[in-house]
Amino acid sequence: NAGVIQTPRHKVTGKGQEATLWCEPISGHSAVFWYRQTIVQGLEFLTYFRNQAPIDDSGMPKERFSAQMPNQSHSTLKIQSTQPQDSAVYLCASSLHSQNTLYFGAGTRLSVL
Amino acid sequence: AQSVDQPDAHVTLSEGASLELRCSYSYSAAPYLFWYVQYPGQSLQFLLKYITGDTVVKGTKGFEAEFRKSNSSFNLKKSPAHWSDSAKYFCALEDTEGADRLTFGKGTQLIIQP
C-alpha cells in the first residue's frame, strides 16, 4: 500500500497560468478530500468526493478552481489563471467512509510567481 | 457553523515532562473529534479519534485525549514527552450531520527540548 499519492510534489507557475494537481487515493477508499495549507490560514477544506461523486465544494473559490474525479483511482484539482495568493501546499486525503481516519498524501507545493 | 480553537500556537517543554495540548470546539450537535500530527517536512498523520463511548481515547505513539462535553474540549496528553514528539499538532472536528468534512484548528507547534 503506497498510501495517497500526489503529483507533482512541487509546481512553479507564472501568474495567470494554469496548474493541475493530481491525486491517487488509497485503493478501496470511497472518499477523497482536497485541503489547502498555508501558514496564515492553516488547513482549509476545499472539496470532497464520495464514490467519485462531488459531495461538497463549499471551500472552493468558485471562479478559478475546479476538481474532478473521473474514476476511482484519481482526482484532479485544476486552478486556472493562478494568482500569488494561490501559493500553498495542496493536500489530498482519502478515507474508507465518514467517521474514518483520513490518510493524507505528501502534498503538492504550488508556488505562483 | 462549527469551529475548532487551539489557543496555544507554540508549546515548549523539556523531555520527560507531561504534555497537554488544548483544543476546544464549537458545534451544535455531538461531534466526532480527531487529532493529527505533522512532523517537519511531512504530511499529516492520524493520532486518535473520539466518536462515541469512553471519553478517554488512546491513540498511536502513546498519546491519549479526553473528551469533555461540559467545556467542549478535547485535549491531547502524553507523559512523558520525548524529543521525537516535536511536531505540529492539529485538532479537528467532523460534521456529524452529513457534511463529513473535517474542520481543523490552526495547530500547536510543540517543541520538546532534550
Side-chain angles (χ1 to χ4, degrees), chain A residues 34 45-49 53-62 65-67, chain B residues 99 101:
Chain A
W34 285 94
F45 168 80
L46 294 175
T47 189
Y48 151 50
F49 296 85
I55 302 298
D56 181 359
D57 68 353
S58 59
M60 294 274 274
K62 291 291 187 279
F65 284 58
S66 62
Chain B
R101 66 178 181 269

Side-chain angles (χ1 to χ4, degrees), chain A residues 18-41:
Chain A
E18 182 178 287
T20 300
L21 313 180
W22 295 74
C23 171
E24 181 180 330
I26 293 173
S27 178
H29 282 193
S30 63
V32 173
F33 298 78
W34 285 94
Y35 283 83
R36 175 168 65 181
Q37 186 175 24
T38 61
I39 299 293
V40 174
Q41 298 294 332

